[in-house]
Amino acid sequence: MSLAVAENTALVAELAALLGRQYVTAPDEDQEPYVVDWRGRYHGRAAAVVKPASTAEVAEVVKLCARHGVALVPQGGNTGMCGAATPDASGRAVVLRLDRLNRIRAVSALANSITVEAGCILQTIQEAAAGVDRLFPLSLGAEGSCQIGGNIATNAGGTAVLRYGNTRELVLGLEVVLPDGSVLNRLQGLRKNSSGYDLKQLFIGAEGTLGIITAASLKLFPRPRASALAMVALPEIEAALTLMGRLRDMVGDRLASLEAMSRGQIEVIAEHVPDVSIPFALEAPWYLLIELTDTLAGTDLRTPLEEVLGAAFEEGLVTDAVIAESQAQAHALWKIRHSVSEGSKRAGYVVSHDSVVPLENQALFARKVERRILEQVPDARVVMHGHIGDGNIHVLAILDAARFPDATAAAPVALRINTVVDDETAALGGVISAEHGIGISNRARLGRVTDPAEIALMRRVKALLDPAGMMNPGKVLPPEA
């Protein structure tokens, strides 16, 4: 049941007095963009949608909602994969959008750091870093619309983890509004700090369940000034791991990205994303995007890349290859990889996974889950893509949208598929989420395969920081029995 009409009217009036009426969207106004997730899986309702413009305003909204006993759902660019930024259907929560907290507060080329507000678009941060001749390496397919607060809240990964690490490793400090409305300010941007607990780590990957991230101090790096990019066809996924080892031996940490896609995944893109150009006849079972970079201008990266690939050709580890001859060609190759979500979404109802397993087990994982999914659901279209160098392979089972138009219709089949993937993930020493988070989608799955002691500790942390349970309720923690 939603808030009583009189109570909700009073809440909206107080929020409007605080922020300005134009920055509060009431239940009888158009809330659709804010109460449905990117994939259209979850449709909620909100007591109000608010857009504060500063950390102080966020803090006042939190205090006001606490007085009314109203929950808060923080929301950035709403590009997440697991429904973490979508309110439930009760209409009792306030969606707190961070769009207006979008300032670059400081950039230091000397300290290799940038301080930004949580609503900054990821691409804007990349461009601000480039403006001082630096690199912010987090790179995602949604970088033109996702916001850094959401990236931090989900501990996003992306295509540069192999060299630079995931979001957690890029964060120097955070500013967070806590559930009581107080502000934790740890934005010093210091590289060394052993002054007690590293509290920022609690909020990275917590998906807004412990507090609302309002600003962050982030690491910058020297910009790459030389690069070489190739896309190669492989007879089996094991060849990708062999190539990784040889490239690391040859060029060390100049190996920046290593992105694998199954033939089926590229076929889905070719069928549903018309402006993508595929440079191969799709005859091999796997394809690998390899990028080498160096911060020294004029470094010859093409020669070692050609040497490794040439030897791999002779041994049958590579069956075809394209090396980018220009920035335009490099962009076209990357566009294939960045189109996986769009293409898959258009292909049908997607049961997607975000598993990560030890590198040694990646090939075995890929083979076993495909075989077992098809045993359970023979008409599923199983495709895969992933960050082969960091253990993260996304397994997608695409179902016929006519037979499975929504989550309710797909639920029994999705459960069988998820059970297969989760069991194999756990058996091979992995976890079910590498970079997408838990949100709504994966709560039950997390509870089924995670050590009960770990879940119990998570609940204790949640109860300590958010005893009223007002921060993004119904997300991350498994449903209680």
Side-chain angles (χ1 to χ4, degrees):
M1 180 182 296
S2 62
L3 285 171
V5 174
E7 183 181 356
N8 200 78
T9 300
L11 174 67
V12 169
E14 289 187 57
L15 289 167
L18 176 63
L19 303 178
R21 185 62 181 85
Q22 67 271 39
Y23 300 117
V24 179
T25 305
D28 58 348
E29 298 169 338
D30 182 17
Q31 294 185 347
E32 186 75 6
Y34 314 111
V35 297
V36 180
D37 72 305
W38 175 79
R39 295 199 296 174
R41 299 286 174 87
Y42 304 104
H43 298 252
R45 298 172 59 207
V49 178
V50 299
K51 296 181 178 181
S54 66
T55 300
E57 287 189 351
V58 173
E60 290 304 314
V61 169
V62 172
K63 292 175 185 176
L64 191 159
C65 287
R67 290 198 300 272
H68 282 268
V70 174
L72 282 155
V73 178
Q75 187 177 100
N78 199 19
T79 61
M81 301 291 286
C82 303
T86 306
D88 64 21
S90 70
R92 298 191 60 84
V94 167
V95 174
L96 192 149
R97 288 281 301 192
L98 292 159
D99 309 65
R100 297 175 67 215
L101 277 79
N102 57 13
R103 293 179 301 149
I104 306 289
R105 292 188 183 177
V107 186
S108 174
L110 177 64
N112 274 337
S113 68
I114 185 169
T115 301
V116 303
E117 293 182 338
C120 281
I121 300 296
L122 175 55
Q123 186 174 325
T124 301
I125 298 172
Q126 295 168 343
E127 291 168 353
V132 294
D133 198 31
R134 294 294 184 270
L135 171 74
F136 182 60
L138 182 62
S139 181
L140 315 169
E143 61 194 27
S145 57
C146 65
Q147 297 176 10
I148 192 63
N151 299 146
I152 296 169
T154 56
N155 189 29
T159 58
V161 171
L162 188 63
R163 182 165 185 176
Y164 297 101
N166 59 8
T167 300
R168 185 181 301 279
E169 295 170 81
L170 304 177
V171 175
L172 292 168
L174 291 178
E175 177 185 84
V176 183
V177 175
L178 301 175
D180 63 358
S182 60
V183 179
L184 175 69
N185 188 333
R186 292 294 181 269
L187 287 175
Q188 298 98 324
L190 301 174
R191 299 281 172 152
K192 300 176 72 174
N193 184 349
S194 295
S195 303
Y197 302 135
D198 189 1
L199 296 175
K200 70 176 183 292
Q201 298 295 346
L202 283 172
F203 304 97
I204 302 171
E207 302 182 43
T209 61
L210 302 179
I212 300 172
I213 296 168
T214 51
S217 178
L218 306 167
K219 293 179 183 178
L220 300 182
F221 297 83
R223 288 183 73 187
R225 300 183 186 279
S227 65
L229 182 73
M231 192 171 194
V232 302
L234 308 176
E236 58 185 6
I237 192 171
E238 285 88 347
L241 298 168
T242 301
L243 283 174
M244 182 183 72
R246 293 183 181 183
L247 286 164
R248 277 186 165 159
D249 289 343
M250 177 74 77
V251 300
D253 66 0
R254 295 178 181 86
L255 178 57
S257 297
L258 207 60
E259 297 291 306
M261 290 172 281
S262 69
R263 175 174 58 205
Q265 180 68 84
I266 299 182
E267 288 171 341
V268 164
I269 295 166
E271 292 167 15
H272 296 281
V273 187
D275 59 341
V276 169
S277 176
I278 310 299
F280 298 105
L282 294 176
E283 298 172 346
W286 283 93
Y287 295 83
L288 187 67
L289 196 62
I290 303 166
E291 184 171 49
L292 311 183
T293 63
D294 198 284
T295 58
L296 296 178
T299 302
D300 178 13
L301 297 173
R302 185 178 178 115
T303 296
L305 180 59
E306 289 178 341
E307 289 180 5
V308 171
L309 295 182
F313 263 116
E314 293 179 2
E315 298 174 47
L317 293 172
V318 170
T319 58
D320 203 352
V322 172
I323 298 179
E325 300 289 347
S326 66
Q327 283 298 110
Q329 289 182 355
H331 176 77
L333 291 176
W334 270 117
K335 187 171 179 57
I336 300 171
R337 174 60 183 86
H338 287 314
S339 297
V340 294
S341 295
E342 180 183 358
S344 300
K345 181 181 178 182
R346 294 178 181 178
Y349 186 92
V350 181
V351 183
S352 63
H353 305 88
D354 183 32
S355 297
V356 57
V357 298
L359 290 184
E360 294 82 359
N361 293 334
Q362 274 191 298
L364 179 61
F365 171 77
R367 288 200 307 272
K368 290 186 72 174
V369 294
E370 181 174 20
R371 175 180 57 78
R372 289 194 57 197
I373 289 172
L374 292 175
E375 288 173 352
Q376 290 285 326
V377 189
D379 54 352
R381 188 174 185 179
V382 180
V383 304
M384 301 185 201
H385 65 273
H387 319 288
I388 199 75
D390 59 33
N392 179 199
I393 291 185
H394 302 291
V395 179
L396 281 61
I398 303 175
L399 308 178
D400 181 2
R403 293 179 55 203
F404 303 100
D406 54 35
T408 300
V413 174
L415 178 60
R416 298 206 304 271
I417 295 169
N418 290 339
T419 300
V420 164
V421 175
D422 295 348
D423 285 350
E424 292 298 340
T425 300
L428 293 172
V431 296
I432 66 167
S433 180
E435 59 182 5
H436 292 166
I438 301 301
I440 301 170
S441 303
N442 300 324
R443 294 172 64 210
R445 295 172 59 205
L446 182 73
R448 197 178 74 83
V449 297
T450 303
D451 184 343
E454 188 173 345
I455 299 295
L457 186 56
M458 290 182 192
R459 294 194 193 281
R460 289 168 62 189
V461 172
K462 171 73 170 174
L464 178 65
L465 293 183
D466 183 22
M470 67 177 290
M471 285 294 173
N472 214 7
K475 314 294 168 52
V476 180
L477 291 172
E480 298 212 52

